[in-house]
Amino acid sequence: MPVVDFRGVDFEHSLSSSDLAAAEAKIASAISAEKALHQAMVAEFQSGTPGHPAVSCYLTSEPVKLACAVQAGKKVPKRHRPKLETLLGIPSKLTLEKPLGEIDWLTLQPKQGNDFRITHDFGPIHRTGKQMVRRVVECSFAPKSFQFTFLGIQKPIVQVREAILAGGIHFATLDIKDHYGSFHSKKLAALLSMLPKAWVEYVVLSRHAVMKWKKEPLLHYTQNLSPTELLLVVCSGLPAGSICSPIIAAHSISMLAWPTSPVMLWNYADDFLLLAASASELQEGIEELTAAVGELPGGHFVLKKLSQGHAQHGLEFLGHRLTLKGNFIETIPSLANQEFIYGEGNKMGQRVTAALKKGDEPTAIQHVELYCARVKAWLAAFAECDEIAQMETTFKSLIKQEAWPLVIDIDHMMGSAQGEFEYMGDEYQYA
């Protein structure tokens, strides 16, 4: 099927040449209109205009819906990306006079500690609405100096190393227990007062969506919850896998009342790191942070401590393991993240072998391309680690070994690969 490139991302289509040219012009115009209306919202929030008329205009704009449909579509992996014709039809379908009927596919993923996470795979109409919400919320989002959720994980790692060497040798890592699930609908509506109620209910919370399991969850992963009880878990709080959930969660954390303190704080997603010069100062910081998180708007949040100790014994934060060794900080990926990326390489090899047994070389190559994208993004995420260049060489050798007997140009695949890693609480996920 033919493809068209929109700013580096390919979309399949079956349009004629004239229809494609018209569609490209329409999308380009929609993107320009969305940017202008977004700027109007920014100005509105800065001026404190009551009633948010610019937000209302933005949410009802057909060009905005089309532009956000394309923006949301670009975030979907190539093999699942909606076709261009689907995106063009979304503006007429995205109305909130009633709940969106599009299927919300659910996946239950086991976590450490006999726990689980339920992720949502929304369709293109839901994704478009959530992208619109994301754009609205980011206009009023003013991150605190300790927040790094959308700034990449390299910056906080650099700062943490410097702070440890400057004397912040006592640490504690903490996170918010069931962060997304701790948001409450009524409190969330107050936090998102700039949005109409229907947008909070049907788009942000995905209420009344048609939910189906991609694969029926195994009973031993569900903590023996009944189907009804499991459904209540699915419907509680912000959905994981939603485009707008991260910005809403960060918007809530931006209101954290953190006092001027000798204890240093870093935050990424729902993860927190405290550094202090003494154990007593650190304990005071833990108590202050616990109380402050409990007062965050949008829900009822409980902070839990993950680890506490001295930097000489090593600490893990954002998938990195940092260890103070004299006047040097050893920085390496955590064991779990190393096992993850190497394990994905082994899976890639198995998929390549299975595809080649069927004589399907194109599919085998696609598996290699996907893993190259994962490796490229993983290397970028851990760019601050020691000996990252040697790791890249090791990965290329692994790819060559696992992709045998395919004849491929690994350097070219790595160079042209798309994708990025985002830190999502307790693991890195391909986005």
Side-chain angles (χ1 to χ4, degrees):
M1 182 173 287
V3 299
V4 60
D5 179 282
F6 279 109
R7 302 185 182 182
V9 178
D10 292 335
F11 288 93
E12 292 184 345
H13 70 90
S14 56
L15 300 174
S16 66
S17 297
S18 59
D19 287 343
L20 176 60
E24 289 181 298
K26 186 176 183 179
I27 292 173
S29 176
I31 291 174
S32 296
E34 191 275 338
K35 286 183 178 179
L37 289 173
H38 186 266
Q39 290 173 353
M41 287 194 299
V42 171
E44 181 174 274
F45 280 109
Q46 291 175 344
S47 65
T49 304
H52 305 294
V55 173
S56 178
C57 181
Y58 184 90
L59 294 177
T60 55
S61 167
E62 295 290 300
V64 164
K65 293 177 183 178
L66 177 56
C68 287
V70 174
Q71 292 168 1
K74 290 170 67 174
K75 300 177 185 295
V76 179
K78 183 178 180 180
R79 63 189 183 282
H80 300 307
R81 193 172 298 149
K83 293 179 174 59
L84 186 60
E85 295 92 318
T86 300
L87 301 179
L88 292 169
I90 285 177
S92 63
K93 297 177 181 179
L94 180 54
T95 61
L96 297 187
E97 297 172 357
K98 60 181 180 179
L100 300 174
E102 195 175 50
I103 294 177
D104 170 14
W105 292 101
L106 306 174
T107 301
L108 187 145
Q109 300 174 326
K111 294 172 57 179
Q112 294 181 353
N114 194 33
D115 199 0
F116 63 87
R117 173 194 289 115
I118 296 174
T119 58
H120 300 247
D121 184 3
F122 295 102
I125 300 175
H126 269 104
R127 290 196 197 104
T128 300
K130 294 176 191 302
Q131 175 66 14
M132 293 171 70
V133 167
R134 176 177 178 167
R135 293 286 279 168
V136 171
V137 175
E138 70 183 14
C139 292
S140 62
F141 173 52
K144 293 287 179 64
S145 60
F146 55 76
Q147 277 188 283
F148 293 86
T149 303
F150 303 109
L151 299 178
I153 60 176
Q154 296 92 341
K155 290 184 178 180
I157 293 301
V158 170
Q159 288 189 9
V160 169
R161 282 197 307 226
E162 293 174 349
I164 293 174
L165 291 174
I169 54 178
H170 295 271
F171 76 88
T173 60
L174 315 95
D175 73 5
I176 300 175
K177 183 179 180 180
D178 188 21
H179 191 196
Y180 281 8
S182 298
F183 281 88
H184 297 171
S185 58
K186 290 184 179 179
K187 293 183 178 181
L188 189 58
L191 175 67
L192 302 177
S193 59
M194 76 290 285
L195 293 172
K197 182 178 179 181
W199 280 81
V200 177
E201 287 290 314
Y202 298 157
V203 178
V204 174
L205 295 171
S206 303
R207 293 292 185 259
H208 314 294
V210 181
M211 298 182 181
K212 294 185 179 181
W213 292 102
K214 281 188 176 180
K215 183 179 180 181
E216 285 297 321
L218 299 175
L219 186 62
H220 65 277
Y221 284 144
T222 64
Q223 300 176 349
N224 294 319
L225 297 176
S226 69
T228 300
E229 291 171 327
L230 192 58
L231 184 60
L232 290 175
V233 174
V234 173
C235 295
S236 64
L238 292 174
S242 166
I243 294 174
C244 62
S245 289
I247 188 72
I248 293 171
H251 180 49
S252 171
I253 291 178
S254 72
M255 300 177 192
L256 183 76
W258 182 245
T260 302
S261 169
V263 180
M264 295 167 282
L265 172 65
W266 288 267
N267 162 254
Y268 195 111
D270 64 349
D271 282 4
F272 296 84
L273 170 66
L274 293 173
L275 291 181
S278 68
S280 60
E281 286 181 349
L282 178 66
Q283 187 57 41
E284 291 178 5
I286 292 173
E287 294 171 2
E288 290 176 347
L289 183 59
T290 301
V293 166
E295 297 296 323
L296 288 175
H300 177 65
F301 306 102
V302 177
L303 193 67
K304 64 177 181 180
K305 184 173 65 177
L306 302 177
S307 64
Q308 182 176 350
H310 194 287
Q312 287 181 338
H313 302 138
L315 65 97
E316 290 193 5
F317 184 54
L318 305 183
H320 293 68
R321 182 163 184 84
L322 308 168
T323 306
L324 175 61
K325 296 187 174 182
N327 59 355
F328 170 73
I329 306 293
E330 179 187 68
T331 309
I332 60 174
S334 68
L335 179 60
N337 276 292
Q338 293 186 53
E339 290 177 343
F340 164 78
I341 194 65
Y342 286 116
E344 288 297 303
N346 294 331
K347 292 178 183 178
M348 178 269 291
Q350 295 169 5
R351 291 165 182 152
V352 167
T353 299
L356 291 177
K357 283 184 178 179
K358 298 177 182 179
D360 189 354
E361 183 172 320
T363 297
I365 292 176
Q366 287 179 2
H367 290 311
V368 181
E369 290 174 338
L370 177 58
Y371 184 63
C372 284
R374 289 178 180 265
V375 168
K376 181 178 180 179
W378 192 93
L379 290 169
F382 294 98
E384 289 300 323
C385 288
D386 306 332
E387 301 180 352
I388 194 68
Q390 290 88 329
M391 292 182 188
E392 180 175 1
T393 300
T394 300
F395 281 124
K396 289 181 178 179
S397 297
L398 173 66
I399 294 170
K400 184 176 181 180
Q401 175 182 327
E402 293 292 344
W404 187 87
L406 291 174
V407 179
I408 55 177
D409 186 339
I410 298 174
D411 289 330
H412 176 72
M413 281 190 174
M414 291 279 283
S416 60
Q418 299 174 351
E420 62 185 23
F421 269 84
E422 292 183 354
Y423 188 71
M424 304 295 288
D426 63 354
E427 60 187 15
Y428 287 84
Q429 298 181 347
Y430 185 66

